[in-house]
Amino acid sequence: MKRIAVLTSGGDCSGMNATLRAVVRAGLASGLEVIGIQKGFQGLIDRLYEPMTTRSVSNILQHGGTFLQSARCKEMRTEAGLHLASENLKGMGVEGLIVIGGEGSLKGGYAIQQQGVPVIGIPASIDNDIPFTDYSLGVDTALNNIIHAVDNLKDTASSHDRTFVVETMGRSCGYLAVASAIASGAEYSLIPEEPYDLDQICKDLRKRFQEGRTNSIIMVAEGAGKAEDIASQIKNRIGFETRVIVLGHYQRGGSPSVFDRLLGARFGQAAVENLIKGNGGTMVCLQGSIMTLTDLATVTSAGIRPINPMLPKLANQLLA
Ligand code: F6P
């Protein structure tokens, strides 16, 4: 193997730059040429690429986002787009591709593998919804962003006897909401994986208020409902003054945490090593503290990563 390529695709997340740096430097150190594809699969279709040197990835690991840029590429879902992307790769003399991205991007990577170019996926999505890996890249930084926001909101909530409803991202996965509720001491977390009873929550809120706990934070995963709706239902049912914060894209950016920098370095190096070993058609996974591989065919057909039931249980137990 002489030449490999790397791209970042789908929603950006913190740690992508650290991962790109690891891929480029591990690749070059192994005697490979490394091509950086810009704007994800769109760049593959439009032939936007540049050869990487060690200097191309200097001074980037501390920054969020992705210096190669990313895109959600609809064309890759068409036969023609997939064919063009694969032919362009082959035309560049690329013998292996590393795809850094979430669920849809890994599907794109698997489709390219089926066109005959070995692909290794690196799970990267703040949602932590990719199966077979305990953590995806960017999750830890996103959680740190969320708890930083909640810590600040708690100051105001306690100063004004207010209830805050805080909406997190996550698509149909509630990991960010429940993990951040535990880590920030929020009172409730509403997630798509578990049914919730708003009537009961309102009764509890009123009782807690009568007992002197006059403020609260309710985390709601975007897949479990809209913070705005939940807040107005609480106001209508028990008359509490409620404020809404939709954290949105604030969660995705910022300087990556140490965990995401180390994870990115490990994922990047493992991806290069396994391409060289001929293990294309897989995704690198962190299981416990071990770096391992799962077939892309298995990853892309397994649906979203289930929530560990211990998490919502723990969140409930810690509610005072
Ligand atoms: O998958 C990452 C994610 O941030 C989701 O949590 C969210 O639903 C979605 O991407 C937002 O997508 P976009 O950046 O295209 O608005």
Side-chain angles (χ1 to χ4, degrees):
M1 182 170 284
K2 281 206 172 65
R3 183 175 294 161
I4 64 169
V6 61
L7 58 82
T8 48
S9 165
D12 67 289
C13 66
S14 290
M16 281 181 160
N17 282 325
T19 311
L20 287 168
R21 175 175 176 269
V23 166
V24 170
R25 295 206 171 158
L28 294 174
S30 306
L32 299 173
E33 290 172 37
V34 185
I35 308 289
I37 314 278
Q38 290 145 12
K39 299 185 189 292
F41 291 111
Q42 194 59 54
L44 211 46
I45 290 170
D46 298 340
R47 295 179 62 82
L48 305 172
Y49 64 91
E50 54 181 314
M52 299 277 109
T53 66
T54 53
R55 295 295 302 279
S56 318
V57 289
S58 291
N59 208 22
I60 60 166
L61 100 152
Q62 70 273 35
H63 299 298
T66 159
F67 87 103
L68 283 180
Q69 296 195 288
S70 189
R72 299 195 189 279
C73 176
K74 289 198 182 115
E75 227 176 315
M76 258 302 279
R77 295 195 202 126
T78 65
E79 278 291 319
L82 173 60
H83 181 73
L84 191 51
S86 314
E87 287 310 303
N88 282 345
L89 260 184
K90 291 175 193 165
M92 288 175 213
V94 167
E95 295 162 276
L97 172 68
I98 296 175
V99 172
I100 306 170
E103 196 210 348
S105 309
L106 295 167
K107 283 188 176 140
Y110 181 48
I112 288 195
Q113 165 80 28
Q114 288 172 308
Q115 301 290 310
V117 180
V119 173
I120 302 239
I122 295 183
S125 165
I126 65 164
D127 303 342
N128 217 19
D129 60 348
I130 301 168
F132 303 103
T133 186
D134 293 345
Y135 285 97
S136 294
L137 195 70
V139 174
D140 187 67
T141 306
L143 282 176
N144 279 295
N145 288 341
I146 296 169
I147 62 159
H148 179 70
V150 175
D151 287 351
N152 287 357
L153 293 172
K154 281 185 132 180
D155 293 343
T156 296
S158 61
S159 304
H160 286 271
D161 291 345
R162 274 180 187 161
T163 295
F164 274 89
V165 184
V166 183
E167 187 177 309
T168 64
M169 280 186 166
R171 287 186 201 274
S172 40
C173 178
Y175 183 84
L176 288 177
V178 70
S180 62
I182 295 168
S184 67
E187 276 68 21
Y188 298 96
S189 50
L190 313 184
I191 59 172
E193 292 87 347
E194 298 255 312
Y196 58 87
D197 180 349
L198 209 50
D199 271 335
Q200 190 55 49
I201 291 175
C202 287
K203 280 183 198 148
D204 289 351
L205 283 173
R206 184 182 280 134
K207 183 160 170 284
R208 288 167 55 81
F209 192 93
Q210 285 156 355
E211 290 166 354
R213 286 164 296 176
T214 52
N215 62 81
S216 49
I217 306 279
I218 301 175
M219 305 301 298
V220 53
E222 65 178 344
K226 291 248 161 281
E228 197 67 58
D229 296 343
I230 287 157
S232 63
Q233 286 189 58
I234 293 172
K235 186 149 179 40
N236 292 343
R237 287 178 206 204
I238 52 176
F240 275 24
E241 193 173 5
T242 308
R243 295 286 187 270
V244 169
I245 303 288
V246 179
L247 292 175
H249 293 82
Y250 165 81
Q251 294 158 94
R252 283 216 311 237
S255 183
S257 64
V258 172
F259 183 88
D260 276 324
R261 295 178 194 205
L262 289 174
L263 186 62
R266 290 181 74 190
F267 274 161
Q269 189 275 339
V272 171
E273 186 179 287
N274 280 291
L275 260 188
I276 294 170
K277 282 186 184 161
N279 289 331
T282 59
M283 179 183 85
V284 290
C285 309
L286 182 72
Q287 293 178 358
S289 59
I290 307 292
M291 197 53 60
T292 179
L293 296 175
T294 305
D295 285 342
L296 278 173
T298 310
V299 173
T300 53
S301 59
I304 71 163
R305 179 180 177 275
I307 282 273
N308 179 342
M310 178 276 286
L311 289 175
K313 199 168 157 210
L314 180 58
N316 284 336
Q317 276 177 353
L318 296 183
L319 175 63

